[in-house]
Amino acid sequence: MTKESATYTHGQHPAVLRAHAWRTAANSAAYFLPHIKPTSTVLDVGCGAGTITVDLAQRLSDGHITGFDSDPTIITQAQSLAASQGTTNVTFTAGDANALPYADNTFDIVFCHQLLQHVGDPVGLLREMKRVAKSGGGIVAARESDFGSWVWYPETEGMEDWRRLYMRVMRANGGEPNAGRMLHAWARRAGFERDDVRCSTSSWCLSTAEEMSDWVDAWAERTEAKDSEFARTAVEKGVAAREELEAAARAWRALGASELGWNSVPHGEIVCVKK
């Protein structure tokens, strides 16, 4: 069985989970919603706490969705979320996405959200997603952030330093922070023909006082907290000193302190058809 070689940069710190809880089908999966039918069978690879998964399940009146993640603890949280909402057409399973425990041609739709940026072999994982998608029109979809394209206002001292620091840490962990712009190329290498890959982009835009406060707090905390996976690996791998992490967190808080604070988070998206 193939084992994941990269380390998940964010970990499951409370600040990360707070940010992830905001994700829904509407704000994170709109690009492939037209392909979902009430009877669809769907696999969410790297489902995390399951907010997108459970939201999609409620659109499948006669279908079923499976959430799959490497972390058994986060799977337990996803199961609790589904139970709290009375959602029964969803199953959650833990394992390594590089070797999915499903037969060929099992699912109508196989998708992932902000997963490929964190893995050591994104092409191989897309190939595995393609394997379990149904032949003759099954869909493989992915949406990945592109950290080199993040935009904020106003220009805030230290934010570009944060971007460079983040990219160093993710790459030291085996990931790719600019995954959004690479998705189409990875899909081609995974075996999809050019005309079978549909590309799009969309962004999260944080602009209200509440949105910016929550967003900034989450990023500042995960950047400097000593119990944060991001901060721990940055220091242990010699990528950043504690002082750099604390300065980056201050930059985030300075951005959030502005009444004009605004942040755009672009994503690349692909919808691939398996013939």
Side-chain angles (χ1 to χ4, degrees), residues 144-165:
E144 298 290 328
S145 183
D146 192 290
F147 282 81
S149 301
W150 281 34
V151 181
W152 48 78
Y153 184 88
E155 292 298 324
T156 302
E157 183 178 358
M159 283 299 294
E160 287 294 348
D161 292 334
W162 163 80
R163 191 202 307 264
R164 287 188 288 269
L165 182 152

Side-chain angles (χ1 to χ4, degrees), residues 19-20 22-33 51-52 55-56 111-114 142-144 202 204 267 269:
H20 288 184
W22 172 79
R23 298 175 179 179
T24 66
N27 66 30
S28 300
Y31 70 106
F32 76 83
L33 289 183
T51 56
I52 300 173
D55 198 10
L56 286 170
F111 83 97
C112 64
H113 183 269
Q114 293 199 359
R143 185 174 190 259
E144 298 290 328
S202 65
W204 291 334
H267 292 72
E269 302 159 342

